Amino acid sequence: MGFRILTSAGAGIVLAPLLWLGGQSAQRVELTRNGTHVDVQIGGRPFTTYSFDPSVAKPFFFPLRSAHDAIVTRGYPMTSAIAGEDRDEPHQRAMYFAHGDINGFDFWGEAAFPAWSDHGASTFGRTVFRSLDEIRNGDDAGTLQATFDLVTPPGIIGEETQTYRFSGDERSRIIDCTFAIHATRGPLTMGDTKEGTFAVRVASGEKAVWGKRSNWVDYSGRVAGEDVGVAMFDHPQNERTPAYWHARAYGLLAANPFGLKQFTGDRRQDGRYPIPAGGSLVLRYRVLIHRGTALQADVADAYRQFAAQP
């Protein structure tokens, strides 16, 4: 499966006729909790599942589906049953939020996969479920909010809140994501590392995007007989917008506002971000799963609508 990538800066553009996909009727969203996961249906069809099992190092979504049921994310390591999938980077789950250096602890990697890390178990952190604070269905959107402890071998160093709003129509699926890191146990520092931060591992990238800055990035290609794309938007109110992108040729797409030194190659840069005791850092993103290419779906206009939200 070959993917094309397009950014707001124009990298990798392939000209195609524009097909306006607006004006579709919103579909009902239903969320159902079952133990340590929440299933999300849009228009009566399965969309995704949010997993927050404390035995796993971080919460994640798997899989992400298009409006016509094509699975656009990699299955591994959640499942090994999909033939032909890469078995690399097992800590890169289908969609997740994590950072490789918070107070020196790695929340991006996972101690369960030591072969994919260059450090020992004592420096891994875990994002551990505490509470499901909101779960709401709706005729045009559904919402979910959960709180987690940021746990390290010495103890809890902070708190994280993840909030999601799900919506969709006959052609698209949208997840609006808000992540808040709270320095509840003393100051926190987000370290300068490429290993982060809000990520989707698609079902197959482009080296020209790695470490570049862009308001949005889109992968598009053919999956299960459907021409489909996955776009990620960085909100203009985020810190250090437009985001740097940790995008890899094997299918990783991640917005990372902290890895300045590694992305620029300039050792004088310092991407660390301090959160004072009692303070919080809030980051907002949107994931859009659409039919066709980024140009056919008018992703640039969809970004403008997202960016206009307060």
Side-chain angles (χ1 to χ4, degrees):
M1 169 178 47
F3 267 72
R4 292 180 294 184
I5 192 162
L6 182 68
T7 76
S8 62
I13 286 179
V14 179
L15 294 178
L18 291 179
L19 300 176
W20 173 245
L21 301 186
Q24 302 292 318
S25 297
Q27 296 179 327
R28 181 168 178 81
V29 180
E30 298 276 354
L31 288 80
T32 305
R33 180 174 181 177
N34 183 5
T36 58
H37 65 266
V38 173
D39 295 319
V40 182
Q41 286 193 330
I42 300 180
R45 308 173 83 145
F47 170 44
T48 190
T49 295
Y50 183 55
S51 298
F52 45 90
D53 186 340
S55 68
V56 179
K58 54 183 176 275
F60 61 91
F61 286 91
F62 167 74
L64 297 183
R65 297 179 177 89
S66 72
H68 291 267
D69 303 325
I71 294 177
V72 300
T73 48
R74 184 178 71 161
Y76 184 77
M78 287 70 63
T79 177
S80 297
I82 302 175
E85 280 199 328
D86 292 337
R87 299 291 192 265
D88 61 357
E89 310 283 355
H91 54 281
Q92 294 177 4
R93 298 178 183 272
M95 188 177 100
Y96 61 100
F97 178 83
H99 192 61
D101 182 349
I102 305 179
N103 282 16
F105 294 96
D106 180 5
F107 289 82
W108 174 267
E110 300 183 18
F113 308 113
W116 294 94
S117 172
D118 59 0
H119 52 83
S122 64
T123 56
F124 281 103
R126 301 177 69 248
T127 306
V128 179
F129 176 76
R130 183 198 297 172
S131 61
L132 188 59
D133 307 318
E134 180 181 11
I135 181 168
R136 183 182 303 173
N137 303 327
D139 289 335
D140 57 1
T143 56
L144 168 65
Q145 183 177 90
T147 298
F148 300 85
D149 289 319
L150 298 175
V151 180
T152 69
I156 298 172
I157 61 171
E159 180 181 298
E160 183 174 298
T161 304
Q162 299 189 357
T163 307
Y164 302 97
R165 182 182 186 273
F166 309 92
S167 58
D169 55 30
E170 293 181 358
R171 293 176 176 261
S172 64
R173 296 288 184 258
I174 292 174
I175 311 176
D176 287 322
C177 313
T178 302
F179 305 105
I181 299 174
H182 309 289
T184 55
R185 305 289 183 102
L188 296 174
T189 298
M190 309 295 289
D192 187 328
T193 175
K194 63 180 176 60
E195 306 298 350
T197 302
F198 174 51
V200 173
R201 179 68 191 260
V202 300
S204 170
E206 179 56 50
K207 296 179 181 178
V209 176
W210 189 88
K212 302 300 189 296
R213 304 184 75 177
S214 181
N215 293 316
W216 56 265
V217 174
D218 182 272
Y219 280 88
S220 61
R222 193 162 183 83
V223 181
E226 180 183 353
D227 292 323
V228 64
V230 181
M232 290 177 62
F233 300 164
D234 176 47
H235 197 277
Q237 294 180 4
N238 285 346
E239 294 293 333
R240 296 175 183 156
T241 190
Y244 288 88
W245 292 90
H246 184 179
R248 295 292 196 179
Y250 52 70
L252 175 68
L253 178 59
N256 180 348
F258 309 111
L260 273 62
K261 186 178 298 182
Q262 295 199 12
F263 288 142
T264 65
D266 184 351
R267 299 184 62 83
R268 297 169 296 180
Q269 296 282 346
D270 186 355
R272 291 178 297 175
Y273 186 88
I275 307 173
S280 299
L281 170 65
V282 179
L283 296 169
R284 295 168 60 191
Y285 304 96
R286 170 173 286 183
V287 174
L288 166 65
I289 302 171
H290 58 82
R291 297 193 72 181
T293 67
L295 292 176
Q296 290 171 329
D298 204 356
V299 169
D301 186 65
Y303 168 77
R304 286 190 287 270
Q305 294 181 40
F306 171 68
Q309 297 179 1

